[in-house]
Amino acid sequence: MHGNVWEWCSDWYGNDYYAKCQKQGTVTNPQGPEGGSAHVGRGGGWCNDAVFCRSANRVIVRPGARFDFLGFRLVRVGR
C-alpha cells in the first residue's frame, strides 16, 4: 500500500537509527528510538518518483506537519 500517500507512523524518528539497523543486517520492523521530537513518515506518496514509493523509505515528520500527501493507517483488531 505504498505510493498513495506517505504514512505517518507512531515510531519516533532518529537521525542515525536506520543507518545503525542497516549495519546490523536485516532488521524486521524496526521500532525507532525510545523517544524523540518528531515521528517517522514512510512509503512515499503520489507526488514522488517511484524510487521513494517503498515501505522501507523513511523521512522525518515534525509535529504539526500538514501535507496533502501525508496520511495514516487505522487498524481494527478482530475479537
Side-chain angles (χ1 to χ4, degrees):
M1 176 94 184
H2 36 274
N4 186 15
V5 296
W6 283 93
E7 179 182 349
W8 180 90
C9 300
S10 62
D11 299 354
W12 293 108
Y13 183 86
N15 286 331
D16 59 350
Y17 182 79
Y18 297 105
K20 288 179 184 177
C21 288
Q22 286 177 335
K23 289 179 184 176
Q24 295 174 15
T26 302
V27 177
T28 302
N29 192 22
Q31 297 299 304
E34 294 291 319
S37 60
H39 288 275
V40 171
R42 70 178 189 161
W46 56 267
C47 60
N48 295 116
D49 293 332
V51 70
F52 294 109
C53 296
R54 59 191 197 99
S55 59
N57 191 34
R58 286 169 164 73
V59 296
I60 188 169
V61 179
R62 303 216 180 267
R66 302 288 184 267
F67 303 105
D68 58 357
F69 50 82
L70 178 65
F72 59 93
R73 186 177 307 183
L74 297 174
V75 177
R76 180 174 181 232
V77 179
R79 295 181 190 174

